[in-house]
Amino acid sequence: MQNENEHMPEETREDSLKAHLKALHRSLEERGEVDDELEMLLRQLDGDINKVLERHADDPDANTYGLASRSQEITARFAARHPTLEPALRQLGNILANMGI
């Protein structure tokens, strides 16, 4: 099964990623179920994603530090404690992977 973001132009995928990050933040705020550890890891990931997007705009070949893998690790680690967030976290990892980040 192919992801819908796979065939999007790079700019559209970045917009999709930014929109997904905003929606994830909104969801986290509304649910209020995030523990300190998950919040810290998600904030770090969010900051790193924004840095990579800025760097990627200037240099498409810039190192991306395996952010898709980190997102997938966070998803696996917290899926049991935060089952309602798991689909959004998984989708974030898929978007990053499809962008090659």
Side-chain angles (χ1 to χ4, degrees):
M1 186 171 134
Q2 292 184 339
N3 188 300
E4 64 203 37
N5 291 321
E6 206 170 309
H7 301 291
M8 288 182 181
E10 187 75 25
E11 186 174 301
T12 304
R13 286 186 282 176
E14 286 184 16
D15 291 340
S16 175
L17 175 60
K18 289 176 185 177
H20 188 74
L21 285 170
K22 285 181 184 177
L24 182 58
H25 281 282
R26 215 173 20 256
S27 178
L28 292 172
E29 288 173 7
E30 289 171 1
R31 290 190 175 118
E33 63 184 50
V34 179
D35 55 49
D36 291 340
E37 183 183 14
L38 178 57
E39 183 177 356
M40 180 193 70
L41 290 170
L42 290 174
R43 286 190 188 283
Q44 286 176 346
L45 183 64
D46 183 53
D48 291 344
I49 289 169
N50 286 318
K51 287 177 191 172
V52 165
L53 289 176
E54 289 172 10
R55 206 171 323 140
H56 193 68
D58 295 333
D59 180 7
D61 296 324
N63 188 337
T64 59
Y65 304 107
L67 294 177
S69 297
R70 281 185 40 209
S71 175
Q72 291 167 353
E73 289 171 13
I74 291 171
T75 301
R77 186 170 177 182
F78 293 97
R81 281 192 271 170
H82 304 285
T84 58
L85 297 176
E86 191 271 337
L89 292 170
R90 186 173 11 93
Q91 184 180 6
L92 176 61
N94 289 339
I95 292 170
L96 293 168
N98 288 335
M99 291 178 70
I101 293 179

